[in-house]
Amino acid sequence: MSHSGTTLILIMAIAVLAPLLAYGVGRRLPVPLVIFEILLGILIGPDVLGWAHTDALIDGLSELGLAMLIFLAGYEIEFGKVRGDTLKRSVGAWVIALALGLGIGTLLGDGFHKGVFIGVALTSTALGTVLPVLRDAGDLHGRFGSVVMAFGAVGEFGPIIAMALLLSGRGAAESTALLAVFAALTAVAVFWALRPRPPWFATIIRKTLHSSGQFAVRFVFLLLALMLGASQALGLDVLLGAFAAGMITRLVLTGAAPEAGPEILEKVEAVGFGFLVPVFFVVTGVEFDLDSLLDGGRTLLLLPLFLLLFLAVRGGPVWFLAPGDLTRKERGALVLYESTALPLVVAITTIGLDDKALSAGEAAALVGAGMLSVLVFPLVALKIRAGAGEKALPKEAIRGSESW
């Protein structure tokens, strides 16, 4: 059997095993599913057992998994809740975080080029990890959930824009122009999505929803492919296209098939969380440079430092600019949720390694800190909310949800 076939079998075996482990361990300590997927990926990777190795096929599936994650995160954003004063505060908090991140990253990286990668990574929020936790806790549709969503959406979209502007290797003017072209294309797509759909559109969605035709699901993936293609054609990061595709898809389905929308999303999530997303996280573990991290010295010290910087750089501005109607404990929980990071950290460090701006040890320390943030921050935030008299999260909330 080829290396691709063997590695894919191992990846899917981990995809099946990880929920079982999360369920078993979760009865004592709720642990996000993604942690098991990454750790088991490290176990079968070259630095431990050496059973799994990546190649073009596996890397391609992994990239599709990352695109799917960003797409679903874009879909989750409810524009009615991300607006007004809260939106202004969330944008301001992220801009301050970017300035802090670039400054600290430049100091740590001994130069602006490396500092850009570190700084942008420190400003990201793993909205895909936070939203399932809020949903299962019953907080997603309340005031606190809307604030978390607004800050998280900017913390997810902002780094993607920063990546397009600062990490593309082009001049600022050229990058801005290309970004403006993509924004115009997205605006046209949004305008089209908001227009009433012809009656046959909703009819064919309804008639094929439970047949082999699956028109709606195929249409969703066509939108994703078109936006990925547009971003790639303009030389922008495909994550920007995936995020835009998610937002456009929500608008289309909300207008054309509001009753079928949740079921369509479940089908798309089944493809993503049932196959592509686990591949991305397991491959992240397989490619994780454990040897560089464990060599000791500066690299090992960077891991806890980066974890603290997630809180300071991303969480500090959030604390000071959080809406005034939040209590002190709600602000603390908000800071922890917004400081949770991983998928964009992985994407940014991957670009940094390919560009030879980051060393393997620095990338491993950043990803390791992101893993710890996913494991620790949401759990502490939930305890803070429970201590404030809020509804506590059921154990199934974390162990049962596929988080970033």
Side-chain angles (χ1 to χ4, degrees), residues 327-364:
T327 67
R328 188 177 183 86
K329 287 190 175 182
E330 286 176 330
R331 283 174 178 256
L334 177 65
V335 165
L336 288 165
Y337 281 135
E338 301 306 330
S339 301
T340 302
L342 183 59
L344 287 180
V345 173
V346 173
I348 292 167
T349 54
T350 300
I351 297 172
L353 287 172
D354 292 342
D355 197 49
K356 301 188 186 308
L358 293 177
S359 68
E362 290 166 335

Side-chain angles (χ1 to χ4, degrees), residues 17-277:
L17 178 61
L20 298 177
L21 292 175
Y23 175 80
V25 174
R27 288 179 293 181
R28 298 179 181 274
L29 176 66
V31 178
L33 180 57
V34 59
I35 297 299
F36 289 100
E37 291 171 342
I38 294 177
L39 290 179
L40 290 172
I42 293 174
L43 180 65
I44 65 172
D47 288 349
V48 184
L49 297 177
W51 294 349
H53 302 274
T54 59
D55 57 16
L57 173 62
I58 300 300
D59 284 338
L61 291 173
S62 176
E63 290 173 6
L64 283 175
L66 177 58
M68 198 66 178
L69 275 171
I70 302 298
F71 168 85
L72 291 169
Y75 186 96
E76 287 280 6
I77 294 177
E78 299 180 39
F79 291 95
K81 294 183 178 181
V82 185
R83 61 184 181 182
D85 180 67
T86 301
L87 178 59
K88 293 177 182 177
R89 289 173 176 270
S90 61
V91 171
W94 185 81
V95 171
I96 294 173
L98 180 63
L100 289 173
L102 292 177
I104 294 173
T106 300
L107 291 175
L108 289 176
D110 295 325
F112 183 73
H113 183 53
K114 181 183 292 187
V116 169
F117 290 91
I118 296 174
V120 173
L122 293 175
T123 69
S124 66
T125 295
L127 191 60
T129 297
V130 171
L131 290 183
V133 174
L134 291 172
R135 184 189 300 114
D136 292 331
D139 280 336
L140 183 58
H141 299 292
R143 168 59 175 163
F144 179 74
S146 67
V147 173
V148 174
M149 180 176 289
F151 278 79
V154 176
E156 193 167 66
F157 191 62
I160 293 175
I161 296 295
M163 289 167 64
L165 288 173
L166 301 176
L167 305 182
S168 63
R170 295 184 295 265
E174 183 182 359
S175 295
T176 302
L178 291 174
L179 197 59
V181 172
F182 182 82
L185 291 175
T186 303
V188 171
V190 168
F191 175 77
W192 169 81
L194 291 173
R195 295 185 63 189
R197 304 267 74 77
W200 64 263
F201 191 85
T203 300
I204 196 170
I205 285 178
R206 185 176 62 257
K207 289 189 174 182
T208 62
L209 194 57
H210 300 287
S211 73
S212 59
Q214 296 293 326
F215 171 78
V217 176
R218 298 182 186 196
F219 182 78
V220 167
F221 282 108
L222 173 61
L223 284 178
L224 175 59
L226 286 172
M227 296 309 295
L228 291 177
S231 59
Q232 191 171 41
L234 291 171
L236 301 172
D237 196 286
V238 293
L239 299 185
L240 187 62
F243 196 87
M247 295 189 295
I248 294 167
T249 299
R250 170 180 278 275
L251 295 174
V252 172
L253 296 183
T254 299
E259 295 180 356
E263 188 172 354
I264 296 169
L265 178 61
E266 287 180 2
K267 292 174 179 288
V268 175
E269 285 181 332
V271 177
F273 292 144
F275 176 48
L276 293 173
V277 172

